[in-house]
Amino acid sequence: MNELITLNGVTLTAPAVRRQDEILTPEALEFLRRLHQSTASRRQELLQLRQQSRARISNGTDPRFLPETKHIRDDDGWKVAPIAPGLEDRRVEITGPVDRKMTINALNSGARVWLADMEDSSTPSWSNVINGQLNLRDALAGRIDFTSPEGKEYRLGADRPTIVVRPRGWHLPEKHLLINNTPIAGGLVDFGLYFFHNARTLISQGRGPYFYLPKIENHLEARLWNDIFVQAQQLLGLPQGTIRATVLIETITAAFEMEEILYELREHAAGLNAGRWDYIFSVIKNFRTRGPRFVLPDRSMVTMTAPFMRSYTEQLVRICHRRGAHAIGGMAANIPNRRDEAANAVALQKVRADKTREANDGFDGSWVAHPDLVPVAMGVFDAVLGKQPNQLGKLRDDVVPDAKALLNIAGTPGVITEAGIRENLEVGVRYIESWLRGIGAAAINSLMEDAATAEISRSQIWQWIYSGAVTDEGEMITHNWVAELLEEEFEAVERFDGDRFDDARAIFEEVALGEEFPTFLTVPAYARYLHESRELAAV
């Protein structure tokens, strides 16, 4: 049993990681303690509000534009803060976890922004949490390098993008850091340690401490982040507005409060992002028991041209540009296949078409998940933007706020197929296995999968079974049939020494085929919940 260490009121429960003393300094822990004490109770209240909101939706009450905040939406007089240094041009942003190799590759990619991801593409093992902070600090100091097991060396180039860090969402605790036996919020740990150690360095380099805020479900959660920003800047003696945040609109409830979210963060707001994969999951999760009106076809058929997705993205662009904020497009999941030229050409064309739609719709930039895709997306946005850094002048006055359009799930074309069921089973099991080994972004069948796409995979399976949905060939989707398909897919998986497929299958069965639908945790966090007593190495 590890001896617990308590410093400045913060108790560390994890075995030591090399160089962690550089991050967990007494001053940094005191900083975290003060942020935690001022926000912990409000965070819990907001998590309870999430449960209440889901219960209302489950009982038949659809989300709506809030009547009590109509004055905010109707007021043309307010804008978000002016664009911060290094965020003027965001035409291509590369996303990825903060491991050492990815950090170097992302900073050398040629993208304008790197989304340094401590959330969906990162397994939050203690080693990953600390090493991610170290990698970011080393990168900003220009002293990061990496040598692969094959001897390939990776070093930083001279021209580097702006770093925007994505901390974990409000729902995830950091079990390895306790205050009065209560875990600190994972997002607060990620934000606080990065901000404390790097804010002044970033300012000295002509940039600033910038963040992506995930999983927000309403404007009150944005208000809590804003209060944290105000306190953090006060504690470090930095001017208010130094921090800038881009909010991912990746929940159906947040889509009805986009303007209010910008308003709450307006002194610190940089924009909104169309987080498409979590958005689809949010729709399934919230309406999973509401019948055929909310049952989606195969995941591959739920494209950005589906009516409810089109409404969501167009309304996002309109709101952002009306308020002087950037609208950033989502990530195309396709990744290059360097060993298959034909497959690679198909993947590149899909990415090009996706980015062309976003650029023509008025987005100011978009995400890619692989360095090879940076030139593809850059070419598309260069053709539309030219020498202009963004499209803030494209106001999209043709778009009208429309609650019904946001909920037009039934208008999604497509069918459910046996192949789609099998794909969900394969992706779900293979992703969870990867996550358990500490790898939170996994290339599966030429797509980059992360926690969001794993959530779609398991939630679609659950909803199809619950709803008694039928495939295009007339087969009713039952628990027993899906269990048989899972057995077949599991047998086809290629095993290797040290794999975690047995654990992954057990977890997937719990979250996709179980009688109850776990909504309070993501799949990876649920894996931790189920297997806590076994002390899996990755968690």
Side-chain angles (χ1 to χ4, degrees):
M1 182 133 180
N2 297 315
E3 181 180 352
L4 301 184
I5 299 173
T6 300
L7 188 62
N8 281 353
V10 181
T11 300
L12 172 64
T13 68
V17 173
R18 179 178 172 269
R19 294 181 60 199
Q20 77 175 25
D21 289 348
E22 297 177 34
I23 300 299
L24 302 178
T25 63
E27 296 80 8
L29 292 175
E30 171 64 11
F31 182 74
L32 287 182
R33 184 188 67 80
R34 296 181 71 171
L35 293 180
H36 168 85
Q37 289 185 330
S38 65
T39 59
S41 62
R42 285 178 60 197
R43 171 177 170 261
Q44 290 302 324
E45 290 169 1
L46 291 171
L47 292 178
Q48 287 297 318
L49 285 177
R50 288 185 177 186
Q51 299 302 318
Q52 295 167 17
S53 172
R54 288 171 194 156
R56 286 194 299 272
I57 294 171
S58 179
N59 290 330
T61 301
D62 287 345
R64 59 174 182 164
F65 297 117
L66 302 178
E68 63 267 31
T69 55
K70 185 176 183 296
H71 65 284
I72 294 174
R73 298 191 299 275
D74 290 347
D75 183 358
D76 292 327
W78 66 270
K79 302 277 187 184
V80 303
I83 299 173
L87 292 178
E88 299 89 351
D89 188 329
R90 304 176 63 175
R91 67 187 68 197
V92 179
E93 302 189 352
I94 189 168
T95 73
V98 286
D99 63 80
R100 211 157 183 86
K101 178 182 174 182
M102 180 61 196
T103 296
I104 298 170
N105 282 343
L107 292 173
N108 290 342
S109 67
R112 300 297 172 90
V113 169
W114 172 37
L115 187 158
D117 191 19
M118 297 180 174
E119 199 227 7
D120 271 1
S121 67
S122 179
T123 298
S125 66
W126 184 241
S127 175
N128 283 351
V129 169
I130 294 299
N131 281 309
Q133 295 286 346
L134 287 165
N135 292 337
L136 288 167
R137 195 175 184 193
D138 288 349
L140 289 170
R143 59 174 180 247
I144 192 170
D145 56 29
F146 175 76
T147 302
S148 72
E150 298 77 27
K152 184 176 180 180
E153 295 185 350
Y154 297 78
R155 299 185 184 281
L156 284 182
D159 188 16
R160 304 168 196 168
T162 299
I163 296 174
V164 181
V165 169
R166 177 163 68 169
R168 282 167 281 179
W170 279 132
H171 58 298
L172 292 175
E174 177 47 70
K175 71 169 189 176
H176 298 109
L177 290 175
L178 309 179
I179 296 177
N180 296 327
N181 293 320
T182 300
I184 304 176
L188 203 59
V189 171
D190 300 336
F191 160 79
L193 292 176
Y194 177 73
F195 179 79
F196 181 85
H197 288 294
N198 302 295
R200 290 191 176 90
T201 298
L202 287 159
I203 294 167
S204 71
Q205 294 176 356
R207 304 289 173 86
Y210 306 143
F211 299 91
Y212 261 108
L213 304 181
K215 305 295 186 291
I216 283 180
E217 298 201 7
N218 57 61
H219 72 284
L220 298 179
E221 296 181 11
R223 181 182 298 172
L224 178 57
W225 268 119
N226 194 75
D227 290 346
I228 288 169
F229 295 162
V230 170
Q231 183 184 10
Q233 290 163 141
Q234 287 174 343
L235 290 174
L236 263 62
L238 298 177
Q240 294 300 320
T242 300
I243 294 171
R244 294 301 166 85
T246 303
V247 177
L248 289 114
I249 301 300
E250 51 188 352
T251 64
I252 184 65
T253 51
F256 286 86
E257 300 183 35
M258 288 190 279
E259 221 148 354
E260 292 90 332
I261 286 168
L262 283 178
Y263 181 82
E264 294 292 346
L265 285 159
R266 59 195 180 281
E267 190 175 17
H268 302 103
L272 302 177
N273 172 277
R276 61 181 70 177
W277 304 117
D278 268 302
Y279 190 79
I280 294 170
F281 165 59
S282 175
V283 168
I284 300 169
K285 175 177 65 176
N286 278 282
F287 296 100
R288 65 192 181 279
T289 61
R290 292 276 300 272
R293 174 187 165 200
F294 295 101
V295 174
L296 288 167
D298 286 359
R299 169 190 154 192
S300 62
M301 300 182 189
V302 185
T303 69
M304 299 305 294
T305 60
F308 80 103
M309 296 298 285
R310 190 104 182 100
S311 175
Y312 147 65
T313 55
E314 289 192 316
Q315 293 192 52
L316 186 150
V317 173
R318 171 191 169 275
I319 287 168
C320 282
H321 289 180
R322 183 184 181 207
R323 302 304 181 181
H326 282 122
I328 307 298
M331 186 180 75
N334 306 89
I335 58 175
N337 187 333
R338 293 170 176 171
R339 291 176 290 184
D340 186 333
E341 290 187 9
N344 192 54
V346 171
L348 294 181
Q349 181 52 39
K350 287 182 177 179
V351 172
R352 190 174 292 109
D354 182 66
K355 303 312 169 191
T356 298
R357 174 191 53 76
E358 289 179 329
N360 289 336
D361 281 350
F363 280 95
D364 302 292
S366 188
W367 285 5
V368 297
H370 192 283
D372 287 357
L373 298 179
V374 170
V376 178
M378 193 73 75
V380 169
F381 275 89
D382 283 350
V384 173
L385 295 178
K387 295 182 179 180
Q388 297 297 317
N390 53 59
Q391 299 194 78
L392 289 175
K394 190 169 185 176
L395 297 179
R396 293 305 308 267
D397 291 331
D398 58 306
V399 177
V400 178
D402 189 338
K404 289 184 178 179
L406 288 172
L407 294 175
N408 183 18
I409 315 302
T412 306
V415 294
I416 304 170
T417 68
E418 180 178 327
I421 298 171
R422 289 182 180 274
E423 180 183 15
N424 281 355
L425 296 172
E426 179 189 7
V427 168
V429 172
R430 288 181 61 185
Y431 177 78
I432 293 173
E433 190 280 330
S434 173
W435 187 92
L436 290 172
R437 287 185 290 109
I439 302 171
I444 302 174
N445 298 332
S446 297
L447 296 175
M448 185 60 73
E449 309 287 1
D450 64 10
T453 52
E455 290 282 44
I456 295 174
S457 298
R458 68 98 174 183
S459 60
Q460 278 199 311
I461 293 292
W462 194 95
Q463 186 187 33
W464 289 340
I465 294 172
Y466 179 90
S467 303
V470 177
T471 70
D472 60 331
E473 296 185 349
E475 182 83 26
M476 179 174 285
I477 303 172
T478 65
H479 181 282
N480 289 341
W481 183 46
V482 174
E484 292 174 5
L485 297 180
L486 176 59
E487 178 68 26
E488 293 175 13
E489 291 300 314
F490 186 75
E491 290 299 319
V493 167
E494 185 176 349
R495 307 295 294 264
F496 55 88
D497 289 341
D499 73 48
R500 307 299 296 271
F501 279 113
D502 291 332
D503 285 320
R505 175 182 174 172
I507 292 165
F508 189 81
E509 286 178 333
E510 289 279 354
V511 298
L513 278 71
E515 185 174 339
E516 298 295 327
F517 183 93
T519 61
F520 60 106
L521 295 169
T522 63
V523 164
Y526 196 65
R528 176 185 296 174
Y529 168 77
L530 288 174
H531 294 272
E532 193 76 58
S533 61
R534 298 174 63 177
E535 289 300 322
L536 297 177
V539 298

